[in-house]
Amino acid sequence: MRLYTYSIAPNPRRVHVYLAEKGIELTLETVDIATAANRSPEFLKKNPLGGLPVLELDDGSHLTESLAIIEYFEELHPEKPMIGRTPLERARTREVERIAEIGVLSQVGTIFQNTSPLFAGRVKQSADAAQNARARLANSLTVLDHKIGDKPFVLGGEPTIADCTLFAALRFGEFAGAPLDPGFRKLARWYTAFAQRPSARD
Ligand SMILES: N[C@@H](CCC(=O)N[C@@H](CS)C(=O)NCC(=O)O)C(=O)O
């Protein structure tokens, strides 16, 4: 198997964090988003949507969508579970992971696309869209701050896929002009601690 990736981008990063937490080693091949290598005809054969990461399976087929890739590896390597052990734990983990992706990562992406000069020539930027995304982001962070409380990890005593997505989303926020407000004190404590883990290194 081979992972086509661009490690500093948030969706690839959450897969990298997950793989490192699980101790899974994989052949990595960088596809440079900055030079639009992910939009080349060759790469679009692997993923017609052009997004990264993409997992190439041993039969030559491709699996896209970072969460699907993570869940595939979780099924292959159920030991040291990162989506919980019971049906309710798994549902709770997925609940928070979805909030981290849709409520944080996606909103940071919307802010970035609507404010960064890098996107000025590519999309019709809207200050209103950025402002709405900032409001949705703040709501999600309020919920997550409360959920994390004083726990070492997002769901409790062990890292889960929710930690992977949330870490990648907040790291992206630093780059995208939407850094975590330190007023979210529980989240800030968790983020600082998680960033020290080997899995979180660039
Ligand atoms: N929903 C997809 C999103 C994939 C995606 O959009 N990845 C970004 C990097 S975070 C990308 O490749 N952007 C460059 C582009 O679309 O040209 C996933 O979770 O894998």
Side-chain angles (χ1 to χ4, degrees):
M1 282 193 280
R2 169 184 303 259
L3 189 73
Y4 294 96
T5 187
Y6 188 68
S7 61
I8 57 170
N11 285 299
R13 190 191 292 275
R14 66 179 159 145
V15 176
H16 286 243
V17 173
Y18 168 82
L19 292 172
E21 287 289 343
K22 292 287 282 197
I24 298 169
E25 290 188 5
L26 210 57
T27 302
L28 305 179
E29 185 166 326
T30 295
V31 180
D32 192 350
I33 291 177
T35 60
N38 60 312
R39 298 280 159 189
S40 69
E42 197 53 39
F43 188 76
L44 291 176
K45 285 183 202 156
K46 304 181 200 310
N47 179 6
L49 291 174
L52 291 162
V54 172
L55 181 67
E56 187 168 79
L57 302 172
D58 291 340
D59 67 0
S61 66
H62 297 95
L63 185 61
T64 66
E65 291 300 325
S66 45
L67 189 56
I69 293 169
I70 287 172
E71 295 231 12
Y72 178 59
F73 280 112
E74 190 67 7
E75 301 246 3
L76 292 179
H77 301 275
E79 66 285 358
K80 193 187 161 202
M82 285 186 67
I83 315 186
R85 288 182 168 76
T86 66
L88 186 57
E89 277 180 17
R90 286 196 281 276
R92 290 279 177 226
T93 304
R94 290 184 171 113
E95 175 188 40
V96 181
E97 196 281 337
R98 298 287 67 212
I99 296 172
E101 176 174 344
I102 298 162
V104 181
L105 200 161
S106 292
Q107 303 311 323
V108 171
T110 300
I111 293 165
F112 186 49
Q113 291 184 8
N114 283 284
T115 56
S116 168
L118 294 173
F119 275 88
R122 293 171 56 188
V123 298
K124 189 174 176 201
Q125 293 185 309
S126 156
D128 285 348
Q131 196 181 340
N132 290 339
R134 283 191 193 280
R136 282 196 287 267
L137 175 63
N139 279 345
S140 302
L141 293 175
T142 302
V143 168
L144 290 171
D145 196 63
H146 181 70
K147 279 188 187 291
I148 287 181
D150 294 321
K151 296 195 282 295
F153 297 101
V154 174
L155 271 300
E158 294 169 350
T160 65
I161 62 169
D163 294 85
C164 303
T165 300
L166 186 56
F167 180 76
L170 294 181
R171 177 54 64 86
F172 180 39
E174 287 179 30
F175 171 76
L180 179 64
D181 179 343
F184 295 109
R185 291 179 51 193
K186 312 284 188 184
L187 265 177
R189 172 201 52 77
W190 165 86
Y191 183 56
T192 302
F194 198 88
Q196 305 304 313
R197 294 178 71 75
S199 66
R201 288 196 196 121
D202 281 336

